[in-house]
């Protein structure tokens, strides 16, 4: 039995169906990531789990109890929002203790839990500041602290890092990973970010256009995508898709190959093209080859290379790394 | 403002327009106030002149103060204005919150219905209002005035406030719900402080017409003990003789309380008007 179970969740806003047939079981202590393009319903699903939005049909079970009719505060969850959503009139301490106060927890316990959370997130020095007197990163840490203090069965995160700058994002990401290990809590995390999805998650749920496309461990999605959508969505730069006919193959409609699985040079390559753009990132080099009918093919090389624009190159797919997809976009194995 | 966006001719033009408007707006007020300090003769001979040693006189204020009821009129005006303001802001904000926050059938229609009163002047219904007040025995009570002014102020309040409430972060309200705050606490503790500038704007726009109104006090509550200051000042306007000193003095005094209320609101008001323009 999982900490969180979704059974056949549907959600529509008026006539617009936003979510269809969502089934999901999350085990105790698991870190689950929701990814998907903008507008696919990730936040809506998270809000349904939280009880901020009613599902049109379906059951939500948290910790073994059906919680469909329970208000958010009685579901044993805590949520961290993209915009932090701290109470502007309260100090850090006030923000963190409000939920417990509402629950009627004894004063001493509130104080102890708040201090413990502040300790964990190194917020001790900020404890008497108001949100307006803190930086974005500090505010998000307070928001995370506010969630921890409640000792929920389930943590919900809605793109918690997307308002932070790159360096802070890395730090806070590591912090969340550490918290997950330390607390052993179940977490559901919505993100746009490839790196967050791949590095934080035990399992990733890929959502697209009202449906779940695939659920699996990060490496499983990377190595065994169920369809063309997942193949294209997981991995950066994006997988190249080539019409099979152009490669002289008739066992598939589309061939997918990741940029990092194309090696350059050598005779008898699968593709040929001219370099149209080079991105040198230091540790790696991304080349974009103009390959005639096949279009722009990206190639990812590790290390620094001396290619020039308009160089003619041929590329070879690494053995067994090309994916085959049928007409409907499903993977052929 | 930076030099790059600031040119002297343009700034002169802007100040000229603003000054002209200021003079236009202040002119009647200034005329009332300076004349209230002059003798009756001086008022008619040189209405625009400032009082000098010869024309200076406090006779108007003396008459007004001797006419002891004026304090009662002030009190009535203040009670009616403050009570109406309170109810307009309270109920207006609550309705606005419901319209902005909850999805229910007929939400838009409800919003339109509540805003309809902006376009239809409440005075059109005076006869019916009078009938209702007579039937319910509320004629010549301050309660009647408070009820009418609350109804009069609500449409604009709901309209403006619901627009502002829509801008309050959903995440903040949801955070409150997850922490177990009731919808009332969310409204009073989280949302209201954030729309304070809008409340002040609505407050000023509601308060001034109420304070200045002559119509409803005259029709609904003309009794001596329920007269408001604007109505009270009319005692000095006779059919044949008008005591202009007293009228002008009473009107000058009547400016003071609104001015105080306005000053209370004004800091918030400026923020309210420019909110959104400058983030
Ligand atoms: N209150 C609402 N009323 C009507 N439609 C809504 C409402 N909330 C969301 N939607 C619609 O539901 C769909 C899913 O929205 P949702 O916010 O869940 O997307 P998302 O996957 O979180 O996107 P993003 O990655 O941009 O945050 C969108 O098409 C949106 O227009
Ligand atoms: Mg979202």
């Amino acid at each position: 039995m999982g900490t969180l179970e979704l059974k056949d969740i549907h959600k529509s806003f008026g006539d617009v169906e936003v979510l269809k047939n969502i089934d999901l079981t999350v085990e105790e202590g698991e870190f689950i990531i929701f990814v998907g393009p903008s507008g696919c319903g990730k936040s809506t699903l998270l809000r349904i789990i939280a009880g901020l939005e009613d599902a049109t049909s379906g059951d939500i079970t948290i910790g073994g109890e059906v919680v469909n009719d329970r208000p958010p505060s009685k579901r044993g969850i805590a949520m961290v929002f993209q915009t932090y959503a701290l109470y502007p009139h309260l100090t850090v301490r006030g923000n963190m203790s409000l939920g417990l106060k509402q629950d009627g927890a004894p004063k001493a316990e509130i104080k102890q839990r708040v201090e413990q959370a502040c300790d964990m997130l190194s917020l001790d020095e900020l404890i008497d500041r108001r949100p307006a007197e803190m930086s974005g990163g500090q505010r998000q840490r307070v928001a995370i602290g506010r969630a921890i203090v409640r000792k929920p069965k389930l943590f919900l995160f809605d793109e918690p890092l997307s308002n932070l700058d790159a360096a802070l994002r890395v730090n806070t990401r590591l912090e969340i990973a550490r918290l997950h290990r330390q607390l052993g809590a179940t977490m559901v995390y919505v993100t746009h970010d490839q790196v967050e999805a791949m590095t934080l998650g035990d399992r990733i749920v890929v959502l697209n256009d009202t449906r779940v496309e695939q659920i699996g461990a990060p490496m499983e999605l990377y190595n065994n995508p169920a369809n063309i959508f997942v193949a294209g969505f997981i991995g950066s730069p994006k997988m190249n898709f080539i019409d099979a006919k152009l490669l002289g193959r008739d066992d598939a409609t589309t061939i997918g190959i990741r940029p990092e699985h194309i090696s350059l040079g050598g005779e008898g390559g699968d593709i040929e093209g001219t370099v149209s753009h080079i991105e040198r990132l230091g540790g790696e080099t991304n080349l974009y080859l103009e390959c005639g009918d096949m279009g722009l093919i990206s190639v990812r090389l590790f290390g620094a290379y001396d290619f020039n624009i308009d160089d003619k190159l041929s590329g070879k797919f690494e053995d067994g790394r090309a994916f085959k997809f049928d007409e409907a976009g499903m993977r052929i194995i | 403002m930076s030099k790059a966006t600031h040119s002297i001719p343009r700034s002169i033009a802007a100040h000229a327009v603003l000054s002209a408007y200021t003079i236009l707006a202040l002119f009647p007020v200034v005329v009332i106030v300076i004349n209230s300090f002059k003798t009756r003769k001086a008022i008619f001979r040189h209405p625009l002149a400032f009082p000098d040693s010869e024309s200076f006189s406090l006779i108007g204020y003396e008459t007004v103060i001797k006419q002891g009821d004026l304090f009662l009129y002030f009190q009535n005006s203040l009670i009616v204005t403050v009570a109406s303001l309170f109810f307009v802001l309270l109920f207006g904000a609550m309705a606005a919150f419901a319209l902005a926050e909850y999805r229910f059938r007929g939400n838009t229609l409800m919003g339109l219905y509540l805003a309809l009163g902006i376009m239809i002047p409440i005075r059109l219904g005076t006869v019916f209002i009078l009938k209702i007040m007579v039937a319910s025995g509320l004629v010549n009570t301050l309660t009647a005035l408070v009820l009418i002014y609350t109804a009069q102020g609500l449409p604009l309040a709901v309209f403006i406030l619901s627009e502002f409430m829509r801008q309050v972060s959903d995440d903040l309200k949801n955070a409150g719900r997850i922490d177990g705050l009731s919808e009332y606490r969310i409204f009073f503790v989280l949302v209201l402080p954030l729309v304070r500038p809008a409340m002040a704007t609505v407050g000023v726009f509601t308060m001034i017409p109420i304070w200045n109104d002559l119509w409803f006090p005259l029709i609904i509550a003309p009794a001596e003990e329920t007269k408001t200051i604007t109505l009270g000042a009319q005692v000095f306007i006779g059919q044949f003789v008008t005591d202009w000193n007293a009228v002008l003095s009473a009107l000058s005094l009547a400016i003071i309380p609104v001015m105080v209320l306005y000053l209370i609101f004004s800091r918030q008001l400026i923020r309210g008007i420019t909110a959104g323009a400058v983030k």
Side-chain angles (χ1 to χ4, degrees):
Chain A
M1 192 193 61
T3 308
L4 168 70
E5 253 179 280
L6 301 179
K7 270 208 208 88
D8 201 21
I9 301 284
H10 285 250
K11 174 69 187 176
S12 6
F13 289 110
D15 296 335
V16 187
E17 259 202 321
V18 180
L19 293 169
K20 266 197 288 223
N21 303 95
I22 307 286
D23 284 295
L24 176 69
T25 305
V26 179
E27 300 299 334
E28 178 90 39
E30 231 184 338
F31 202 128
I32 290 283
I33 307 274
F34 290 172
V35 289
S38 191
C40 68
K42 305 180 293 288
S43 301
T44 307
L45 186 54
L46 204 68
R47 290 154 48 84
I48 288 174
I49 296 171
L52 297 168
E53 196 87 63
D54 287 327
T56 310
S57 68
D59 283 331
I60 304 140
T61 312
I62 296 176
E65 292 169 74
V66 177
V67 294
N68 290 6
D69 298 324
R70 279 201 217 163
S73 55
K74 299 276 186 286
R75 290 190 176 199
I77 53 127
M79 192 157 171
V80 176
F81 299 89
Q82 180 178 356
T83 55
Y84 325 133
L86 297 179
Y87 309 120
H89 61 294
L90 294 177
T91 60
V92 169
R93 185 192 296 280
N95 266 283
M96 288 193 180
S97 44
L98 187 66
L100 292 178
K101 262 188 215 153
Q102 289 297 117
D103 269 354
K107 272 222 174 84
E109 190 188 339
I110 296 178
K111 189 164 158 27
Q112 187 247 327
R113 281 213 232 167
V114 167
E115 269 157 24
Q116 198 181 352
C118 283
D119 223 29
M120 245 189 241
L121 294 161
S122 11
L123 287 169
D124 307 273
E125 279 156 34
L126 305 175
I127 197 156
D128 290 316
R129 297 230 197 138
R130 281 173 209 283
E133 302 158 350
M134 289 187 284
S135 72
Q138 292 168 335
R139 285 183 212 178
Q140 196 54 295
R141 290 222 300 281
V142 175
I144 294 171
R146 183 170 65 180
I148 293 176
V149 166
R150 307 194 59 201
K151 297 205 171 148
K153 294 185 209 125
L154 182 61
F155 282 89
L156 305 173
F157 294 88
D158 194 352
E159 306 195 26
L161 307 186
S162 51
N163 278 8
L164 304 180
D165 71 44
L168 261 176
R169 211 177 294 176
V170 174
N171 283 341
T172 318
R173 193 177 77 216
L174 295 177
E175 198 137 335
I176 291 176
R178 184 175 58 80
L179 278 175
H180 179 238
R181 273 195 308 275
Q182 216 167 334
L183 301 169
T186 317
M187 298 186 170
V188 177
Y189 188 105
V190 169
T191 182
H192 269 122
D193 188 285
Q194 289 278 336
V195 183
E196 281 170 35
M198 299 299 280
T199 56
L200 286 174
D202 293 321
R203 283 194 296 158
I204 299 178
V205 178
V206 183
L207 291 159
N208 179 36
D209 190 23
T210 74
R211 281 172 303 123
V212 173
E213 294 280 354
Q214 190 175 3
I215 304 178
M219 288 323 288
E220 188 188 332
L221 297 190
Y222 181 84
N223 290 321
N224 276 316
N227 55 44
I228 213 164
F229 178 81
V230 177
F233 199 80
I234 301 287
S236 162
K238 223 167 119 4
M239 185 185 281
N240 298 295
F241 295 108
I242 305 165
D243 194 338
K245 273 186 265 142
L246 296 173
L247 292 167
R249 300 172 68 150
D250 54 7
D251 55 344
T253 310
T254 309
I255 299 294
I257 181 80
R258 293 195 187 278
E260 52 269 43
H261 297 146
I262 301 178
S263 50
L264 291 181
E267 290 301 301
D270 296 283
I271 53 166
E272 272 185 12
T274 55
V275 178
S276 76
H277 185 64
I278 308 172
E279 290 172 350
R280 292 191 177 86
L281 301 173
E284 55 188 79
T285 307
N286 294 331
L287 290 185
Y288 294 86
L289 298 183
E290 186 59 59
C291 296
D293 287 343
M294 295 180 197
L296 205 60
I297 303 286
S298 54
V299 180
R300 184 178 180 198
L301 303 166
F302 296 92
Y305 289 84
D306 279 332
F307 293 111
N308 293 312
I309 302 285
D310 286 339
D311 280 357
K312 273 203 184 321
L313 294 173
S314 71
K316 193 166 166 42
F317 301 166
E318 277 177 32
D319 284 340
R321 289 296 200 168
F323 297 104
K324 296 184 286 183
F325 300 99
D326 67 14
E327 248 166 290
M330 300 309 287
R331 171 99 178 277
I332 306 172
I333 301 173
Chain B
M1 211 184 283
S2 79
K3 269 197 185 133
T5 59
H6 195 68
S7 83
I8 290 176
R10 232 196 279 171
S11 130
I12 290 174
H15 281 89
V17 171
L18 291 175
S19 311
Y21 184 76
T22 310
I23 291 168
L24 194 69
L26 284 182
F27 182 72
V29 181
V30 171
V31 170
I32 290 175
V33 174
I34 58 177
N35 281 310
S36 71
F37 288 104
K38 295 200 297 206
T39 57
R40 187 179 169 82
K41 254 191 208 146
I43 293 175
F44 285 103
R45 202 163 297 158
H46 304 292
L48 294 183
F50 281 88
D52 53 26
S53 55
E54 201 179 309
S55 64
F56 181 81
S57 150
L58 286 175
I59 179 77
Y61 289 95
E62 278 162 24
T63 323
V64 165
I65 287 163
K66 259 186 248 144
Q67 230 271 349
D69 289 341
L70 217 71
F71 178 71
L72 176 70
Y73 303 159
F74 258 110
Q75 195 183 325
N76 288 339
S77 269
L78 216 55
I79 289 172
V80 167
T81 307
V82 170
S84 311
L85 199 57
F86 174 78
F87 287 122
V88 167
L89 289 180
L90 178 71
F91 295 137
M94 286 175 119
F97 183 70
L99 287 175
E101 184 59 19
Y102 305 122
R103 262 178 276 134
F104 53 88
R105 204 175 281 278
N107 181 315
T108 321
L109 271 181
M110 190 65 153
L112 274 179
Y113 170 71
L114 287 178
L116 210 60
I118 298 173
M119 290 157 267
I120 303 173
I122 193 168
R123 288 175 193 196
L124 286 183
T126 303
V127 174
F128 294 98
I129 291 174
L130 184 58
K131 275 187 187 160
I132 293 171
M133 294 303 169
V134 170
S136 51
L138 287 175
V139 174
N140 282 332
T141 62
L142 295 181
T143 316
L145 290 178
V146 171
L147 287 175
I148 292 169
Y149 291 139
T150 305
Q152 172 185 304
L154 273 175
L156 191 69
V158 173
F159 183 73
I160 293 180
L161 290 176
S162 62
E163 213 42 62
F164 274 80
M165 298 235 181
R166 266 183 258 278
Q167 289 168 16
V168 175
S169 145
D170 280 335
D171 285 355
L172 185 64
K173 291 175 272 192
N174 286 336
R177 291 191 180 114
I178 287 175
D179 274 341
L181 298 186
S182 67
E183 293 296 309
Y184 285 97
R185 287 266 318 265
I186 290 175
F187 171 71
F188 282 112
V189 177
L190 297 183
V191 177
L192 274 195
L194 293 178
V195 297
R196 216 169 38 200
M199 298 279 281
T201 311
V202 170
V204 168
F205 283 124
T206 308
M207 159 185 93
I208 290 170
I210 297 177
W211 183 268
N212 289 340
D213 192 34
L214 186 57
W215 180 266
F216 284 113
L218 189 62
I219 294 170
I220 307 282
E224 186 59 28
E225 66 276 15
T226 57
K227 264 186 194 158
T228 60
I229 182 68
T230 31
L231 185 55
Q234 309 298 316
V235 298
F236 303 112
I237 299 179
Q239 194 176 354
F240 307 108
V241 217
T242 294
D243 184 347
W244 285 109
N245 299 76
V247 171
L248 293 177
S249 304
L251 290 180
S252 298
L253 288 177
I255 294 171
I256 296 169
V258 241
M259 200 121 111
V260 171
L261 280 178
Y262 179 83
L263 285 179
I264 294 172
F265 283 130
S266 68
R267 271 182 50 126
Q268 308 286 342
L269 176 75
I270 290 166
R271 270 200 265 158
I273 288 172
T274 54
V278 185
K279 204 169 169 224

